[in-house]
Amino acid sequence: MGEFFVFSFFLGMLSFLFPLFLYIDIYLDVRENRAWFVLSFYKYFRVLGGYGEVRQDGLAFHITKKFAVLLPYEKMADTRKKFEVTKGFQLYRFHQLLETGGADSVYGVMLAAAIQATGGAVFSVLRTRHPFLSLKNGTVLTETTQLKLTLRTVAVFNGLVMTVAISKKILEAILNWIRKKRSTASWKKQRST
């Protein structure tokens, strides 16, 4: 019985420190006004998927055929603060492919060359800071008028980092609740006197 406990504890700690690879695949089509996305672990275990679109009142994310989430434009700044990424999440791969029209005009070719040059300059700076980062940038010119973007990013973290990030968010929520309770209690005390 003791060997089983030691063995299971060792496997649990090993899996807690084992790296997790989160794949984020995005395909954006401006003409369709949609961006399809998939979040998966190790590219094969799908966690979340659907598509998003721009609406007059905000961004709509359709997770299933019957479930959608609307993110109003007014609340976007607050949402960005809530989903702050900690330093434990490392970007491992960033690949992008841009499809644009203009293959038959000089301006389209110049635009594609400018996009490639800008991407190369940004990627060279990122490569000096993060030598392990896999970066790819591509541009495809087509004869039809279109603008499509394909992204694949991979982030690496482990169970320990995820536990610390979740614990941090829970503690922040508890502290905000305590502050709110205290301010409400002091307000009631002032009203009663």
Side-chain angles (χ1 to χ4, degrees):
M1 184 70 175
E3 296 90 16
F4 175 73
F5 177 73
V6 171
F7 185 68
S8 61
F9 178 76
F10 177 72
L11 281 179
M13 290 307 292
L14 187 65
S15 65
F16 199 60
L17 298 175
F18 193 73
L20 295 170
F21 291 86
L22 178 66
Y23 282 73
I24 304 167
D25 295 316
I26 300 172
Y27 176 73
L28 171 72
D29 190 350
V30 174
R31 181 179 276 180
E32 300 250 341
N33 188 25
R34 288 195 177 170
W36 291 268
F37 61 92
V38 174
L39 292 141
S40 58
F41 285 112
Y42 300 106
K43 188 169 55 172
Y44 300 110
F45 304 110
R46 182 178 167 174
V47 177
L48 183 67
Y51 68 93
E53 61 184 348
V54 178
R55 298 218 171 169
Q56 290 179 351
D57 45 353
L59 298 176
F61 295 99
H62 300 268
I63 309 302
T64 64
K65 290 183 180 181
K66 296 183 179 181
F67 180 71
V69 176
L70 180 67
L71 181 63
Y73 294 124
E74 298 88 33
K75 296 185 180 180
M76 280 191 189
D78 297 334
T79 305
R80 186 178 59 85
K81 292 175 187 174
K82 288 180 185 176
F83 294 104
E84 179 182 316
V85 178
T86 64
K87 292 185 178 181
F89 295 87
Q90 294 293 323
L91 190 63
Y92 179 70
R93 180 182 299 160
F94 185 83
H95 295 179
Q96 72 176 10
L97 178 67
L98 180 70
E99 298 177 46
T100 182
D104 52 352
S105 74
V106 176
Y107 299 114
V109 174
M110 288 174 54
L111 176 66
I115 291 169
Q116 278 296 115
T118 304
V122 170
F123 285 0
S124 65
V125 170
L126 287 174
R127 179 71 84 175
T128 57
R129 292 184 182 169
H130 307 286
F132 59 88
L133 190 59
S134 171
L135 299 166
K136 287 187 182 174
N137 181 25
T139 306
V140 176
L141 285 172
T142 61
E143 293 180 2
T144 60
T145 305
Q146 64 181 358
L147 182 59
K148 297 179 182 177
L149 179 67
T150 306
L151 289 174
R152 167 167 277 178
T153 59
V154 180
V156 180
F157 58 96
N158 60 18
L160 179 64
V161 169
M162 189 61 128
T163 304
V164 168
I166 290 172
S167 300
K168 178 184 170 188
K169 291 298 175 186
I170 290 172
L171 287 174
E172 285 176 358
I174 291 171
L175 288 174
N176 287 335
W177 179 75
I178 290 171
R179 286 184 190 132
K180 190 175 179 182
K181 279 292 202 186
R182 283 186 180 172
S183 68
T184 305
S186 66
W187 173 256
K188 286 181 181 178
K189 194 175 187 181
Q190 288 177 357
R191 278 185 76 187
S192 65
T193 58

